[in-house]
Amino acid sequence: MNVIVCIKQVPNTTDVRIDPVTNTLIREGVESIINPFDTYAIEEGVRLKERFGGKVIVITMGPPQAETALREALSLGGDEAILISDKKFAGSDTWATSYTLSRAIKHISTFDMIICGKQASDGDTAQVGPGISTHLDIPQVTYVKRIEEISNNKAKVERMTEEGYDIIETPLPCLLTVVKEINTPRLPSLKGMIKAKSAKIIKWTADDINCDPKNIGLEGSPTRVVKIFTPPPRKGGEILKGDTNEIAQRLAESLRDVVI
Amino acid sequence: MDYLLTERQVMIRDLARQIARDKVKPVAAKDEESEEFAWEIMKVLANSDIFGIYIPEEYGGLGGGVMELCVATEELSRACGAIALGFAGTALGIYPILLYGNDEQKKKYLPDIAKGKRLAAFCITEAEAGSDAGSIKTSAKKEGDHYILNGTKQWITNAGEAEVYTVIAMTDKTKGARGASAFIVEKGTKGMDFGKKEKKLGIRASATREVIFTDCKVPKESLLSKEGMGFIVEMKTFDSSRPGVAAQAVGIAQGALDLALDYAQKRIQFGQPLSSFQAIQHMLADMATQIEAARALVYSAARMVDSGAKNISKESAMAKVYASDVAMKVAVDAVQIFGGYGYMRDYPIEKFMRDAKITQIYEGTNQIQRNIIAGHLIKESLK
């Protein structure tokens, strides 16, 4: 069972700063870590390898310093690491990023499953995972909290919903995005860390993975960020008083005013 | 202070610190109360390769030495001095094999220890042989291809939980200390039993039991080194292991200071935090300075042991005596800073004071350490 795990290096803070001119994330001066949600994806990939054999390939798209995130992923049990890095990727939105990652994944010979964290802690879009599966035209299941079984080239998984969970069966290869309920990531091992320090990181550019220049970077990104702002805090609600009939009447009127 | 640790030592320190903070600290109070052995933490340490840091690479370890052992022990003890002992006590139990085992014995035992599959324990102390290790009564009588062990060891750290025991027993009582020999005995050997678990002042999550030998038959290949070498094995093991106890003491002291410093900044009296009072500030400053001095001495002793220096008894004893006295003093002061709350078992600090006390007692009381130091001083002056 070969598993590809997609990770992202993110700033270690919940206080994300945005460049007011370009409206992109400011990475300078902040310690970088593996997106916390992706650590569950790595762990699940490693557990699948331990159960079924095969290997875990960790892949990230980012600047050259994202190599540290890949080395950490190797120390946590990953077998191979691929860094997709090219100046041409600068300014990629979730569409261009998922296109680029899908090109890289096509470049990897065979795989049975792709696992991503449910979203990144900086952008919080939760779009890249589903985007990759769409570009690759393979099935996707998001918010997976448990992989029940894998057999006969099928996976049975539990998808978390607000009320409970769905049980979904999907053919392989497929893409899963996982939530933190799925496992407890292990700590790295010293031998893993030592091995990861000198491990070879495979590096691919846009040309290596045959990207269509029109689909990558700022040019390939249909998203235009017009403005970034913190939504104003919600004002206190109105409490209706009076007898039940009267309240019901006024509530219905207010709803009509808002909706229509 | 920058101790110029190697890249790998920094890796070990950071990982041990992470384990201490994320895994040990949350269970320390619970394990202290239940007095249960922290097997779940031993598993974490095993999976992180921490058990192998001081074991040579050829036997599945990471090839470090006493310095690596000290760095990890200190970090773990900062969260819990008792849980750290599952690891540090194993080092004490396995050092006789590391130092005096033949290749076959090393191949048989070290890889499992390095992987954390089995723990170890060192058995010397008896009811009438504490500081006076020469009065050991446990006997080992040779019969054909075997030795027959009889006697009772007491206060053995990790006893019952560990699977590999190094045991000092008399092969020739007429020769006194020169009649002692060291053996490796595996848990499950017929005639080897464990007494009840001791109830202790501190380090309660650490298992301490009697180990009882009744006509316990072990193959002659269990003998470490040669007959009559038992006392040397013991002394040389302690020379190497004492910096480890000292590191445990530094860790306990640091953990106590961490708590006291945090409390002093949060506790408001007379309208201001305790940390704004000079009386408290000076206490904190002294505690931090003493800890740093202890750490510097421990690391120096550890590095000296690892350098292969021949005479390390004095320095090793100095590190143990100083660091453990500092741990006791710092822990007492930390409780004082907590005031009445410090005396309450609902607060974590009193545990550090109880845990610190053992470091002045075991692996040779501090009085014995001073005897060793003075003995060497006088001997050196006569040269």
Side-chain angles (χ1 to χ4, degrees):
Chain A
M1 174 120 189
N2 290 343
V3 181
I4 295 173
V5 178
C6 301
I7 67 168
K8 183 182 186 186
Q9 195 180 41
V10 297
N12 186 14
T13 172
T14 45
D15 182 25
V16 178
R17 290 175 304 140
I18 308 285
D19 186 318
V21 179
T22 60
N23 279 333
T24 53
L25 300 171
I26 299 174
R27 292 172 197 268
E28 287 75 33
V30 187
E31 184 206 7
S32 295
I33 55 165
I34 296 179
N35 169 39
F37 292 113
D38 297 344
T39 60
Y40 302 96
I42 297 168
E43 176 67 27
E44 203 57 28
V46 174
R47 286 186 190 189
L48 289 177
K49 173 184 83 176
E50 286 166 352
R51 258 166 78 191
F52 301 105
K55 62 182 175 182
V56 175
I57 304 165
V58 188
I59 167 169
T60 194
M61 172 179 145
Q65 62 264 32
E67 196 180 310
T68 24
L70 287 173
R71 291 202 187 275
E72 193 183 333
L74 291 177
S75 79
L76 292 165
D79 300 285
E80 289 171 25
I82 303 169
L83 173 64
I84 307 156
S85 193
D86 198 317
K87 284 207 170 89
K88 292 176 194 158
F89 296 141
S92 292
D93 69 355
T94 54
W95 194 94
T97 302
S98 49
Y99 167 79
T100 309
L101 284 165
S102 73
R103 295 304 306 169
I105 289 167
K106 272 196 179 153
H107 208 64
I108 299 167
S109 51
T110 56
F111 63 92
D112 301 288
M113 192 180 276
I114 302 168
I115 310 180
C116 306
K118 70 161 177 157
Q119 67 197 58
S121 63
D122 52 0
D124 275 328
T125 65
Q127 290 172 352
V128 171
I132 294 169
S133 80
T134 309
H135 284 295
L136 291 170
D137 200 19
I138 58 168
Q140 55 167 293
V141 185
T142 51
Y143 306 107
V144 172
K145 75 172 182 84
R146 183 163 170 251
I147 296 176
E148 228 172 67
E149 61 171 272
I150 293 176
S151 58
N152 302 324
N153 222 25
K154 277 186 229 150
K156 203 180 191 184
V157 303
E158 293 174 7
R159 176 174 66 181
M160 201 157 85
T161 65
E162 282 185 16
E163 296 83 22
Y165 61 88
D166 302 329
I167 297 175
I168 294 174
E169 191 178 84
T170 164
L172 299 181
C174 67
L175 180 140
L176 310 181
T177 77
V178 296
V179 292
K180 67 176 168 48
E181 285 73 10
I182 195 164
N183 57 44
T184 308
R186 71 196 64 191
L187 290 162
S189 70
L190 287 167
K191 283 185 182 165
M193 286 160 90
I194 291 163
K195 207 177 93 204
K197 257 198 102 50
S198 55
K200 188 182 178 318
I201 306 281
I202 302 161
K203 288 169 190 167
W204 287 341
T205 61
D207 291 342
D208 291 333
I209 52 176
N210 303 317
C211 286
D212 183 338
K214 287 197 301 296
N215 289 341
I216 56 170
L218 201 57
E219 200 198 327
S221 299
T223 312
R224 286 290 169 269
V225 181
V226 181
K227 188 183 164 194
I228 298 230
F229 64 96
T230 311
R234 267 158 62 141
K235 296 192 188 93
E238 185 190 350
I239 296 171
L240 302 174
K241 284 184 185 145
D243 74 78
T244 318
N245 281 337
E246 200 184 314
I247 292 176
Q249 178 82 29
R250 278 174 50 207
L251 182 61
E253 279 166 15
S254 315
L255 284 174
R256 205 177 295 133
D257 288 348
V258 176
V259 176
I260 302 167
Chain B
M1 204 161 296
D2 187 352
Y3 290 101
L4 307 175
L5 301 182
T6 63
E7 195 176 30
R8 197 170 285 192
Q9 286 162 353
V10 169
M11 215 183 251
I12 291 168
R13 183 195 63 194
D14 292 350
L15 185 57
R17 188 173 289 175
Q18 192 184 354
I19 293 170
R21 187 191 58 213
D22 297 349
K23 306 286 180 185
V24 180
K25 212 170 174 190
V27 302
K30 171 181 74 74
D31 287 355
E32 156 87 4
E33 199 60 34
S34 66
E35 306 201 4
E36 261 169 50
F37 191 78
W39 273 111
E40 77 280 9
I41 304 292
M42 296 306 122
K43 220 180 141 203
V44 172
L45 295 174
N47 291 338
S48 303
D49 301 324
I50 296 281
F51 276 105
I53 55 177
Y54 57 90
I55 291 177
E57 282 176 13
E58 54 187 306
Y59 301 109
L62 287 159
V66 174
M67 185 62 190
E68 282 74 11
L69 174 64
C70 285
V71 166
T73 303
E74 179 188 333
E75 289 300 332
L76 297 173
S77 302
R78 201 168 162 179
C80 179
I83 293 175
L85 254 191
F87 165 71
T90 291
L92 175 65
I94 214 67
Y95 251 97
I97 300 177
L98 267 176
L99 295 173
Y100 288 95
N102 55 38
D103 191 48
E104 219 163 285
Q105 289 166 331
K106 287 181 178 173
K107 270 191 192 138
K108 189 171 175 191
Y109 295 104
L110 298 185
D112 276 358
I113 297 291
K115 283 197 198 90
K117 273 191 180 167
R118 310 168 100 188
L119 303 185
F122 195 27
C123 308
I124 299 177
T125 304
E126 298 178 3
E128 287 165 57
S131 295
D132 181 10
S135 341
I136 282 169
K137 290 207 168 62
T138 296
S139 62
K141 203 173 138 202
K142 192 157 186 195
E143 274 186 14
D145 286 343
H146 291 84
Y147 285 94
I148 313 288
L149 270 62
N150 275 292
T152 300
K153 297 290 178 181
Q154 73 176 20
W155 301 335
I156 305 306
T157 299
N158 286 353
E161 314 295 335
E163 290 189 51
V164 181
Y165 295 79
T166 41
V167 182
I168 304 293
M170 304 303 290
T171 36
D172 188 347
K173 277 179 189 166
T174 59
K175 289 186 180 162
R178 288 182 189 188
S181 303
F183 297 88
I184 308 166
V185 187
E186 290 186 48
K187 184 180 177 179
T189 306
K190 205 171 159 232
M192 182 199 207
D193 294 291
F194 300 104
K196 71 166 170 52
K197 200 168 164 179
E198 303 290 351
K199 289 191 168 297
K200 305 187 294 288
L201 173 72
I203 52 163
R204 292 184 181 174
S206 165
T208 313
R209 292 187 175 91
E210 279 180 336
V211 181
I212 304 153
F213 300 100
T214 318
D215 293 330
C216 179
K217 194 170 163 187
V218 296
K220 69 175 189 327
E221 289 75 26
S222 312
L223 178 70
L224 266 172
S225 186
K226 289 182 294 203
E227 273 191 30
M229 281 289 283
F231 199 62
I232 306 278
V233 169
E234 180 186 325
M235 288 302 120
K236 294 288 173 193
T237 293
F238 279 144
D239 283 350
S240 293
S241 69
R242 271 178 190 135
V245 186
Q248 182 198 21
V250 172
I252 292 171
Q254 185 65 54
L257 175 62
D258 293 343
L259 289 171
L261 184 60
D262 178 62
Y263 182 83
Q265 289 169 90
K266 287 186 180 143
R267 170 75 169 164
I268 308 289
Q269 288 289 275
F270 304 104
Q272 42 193 322
L274 291 189
S275 59
S276 68
F277 297 102
Q278 208 171 44
I280 301 292
Q281 288 176 359
H282 285 188
M283 280 175 83
L284 292 168
D286 283 343
M287 289 156 82
T289 307
Q290 286 153 4
I291 292 169
E292 209 60 73
R295 184 178 287 124
L297 183 54
V298 173
Y299 287 2
S300 299
R303 283 174 167 147
M304 193 174 166
V305 177
D306 288 338
S307 74
K310 237 180 148 193
N311 298 313
I312 49 175
S313 306
K314 185 181 75 180
E315 289 74 12
S316 185
M318 282 174 167
K320 197 265 183 189
V321 77
Y322 189 77
S324 58
D325 282 353
V326 162
M328 196 64 225
K329 185 176 181 306
V330 166
V332 168
D333 286 348
V335 170
Q336 189 68 23
I337 288 172
F338 270 72
Y341 289 108
Y343 204 71
M344 297 301 127
R345 282 173 60 188
D346 298 334
Y347 281 72
I349 195 66
E350 54 87 35
K351 172 188 185 295
F352 283 80
M353 186 173 134
R354 291 186 284 105
D355 287 356
K357 187 64 207 171
I358 191 61
T359 63
Q360 293 179 305
I361 299 173
Y362 65 11
E363 284 198 53
T365 63
N366 281 7
Q367 286 67 34
I368 289 291
Q369 308 301 328
R370 289 185 168 93
N371 287 355
I372 294 169
I373 297 164
H376 280 274
L377 277 180
I378 294 161
K379 206 163 99 189
E380 283 163 19
S381 74
L382 295 176
K383 268 181 193 166

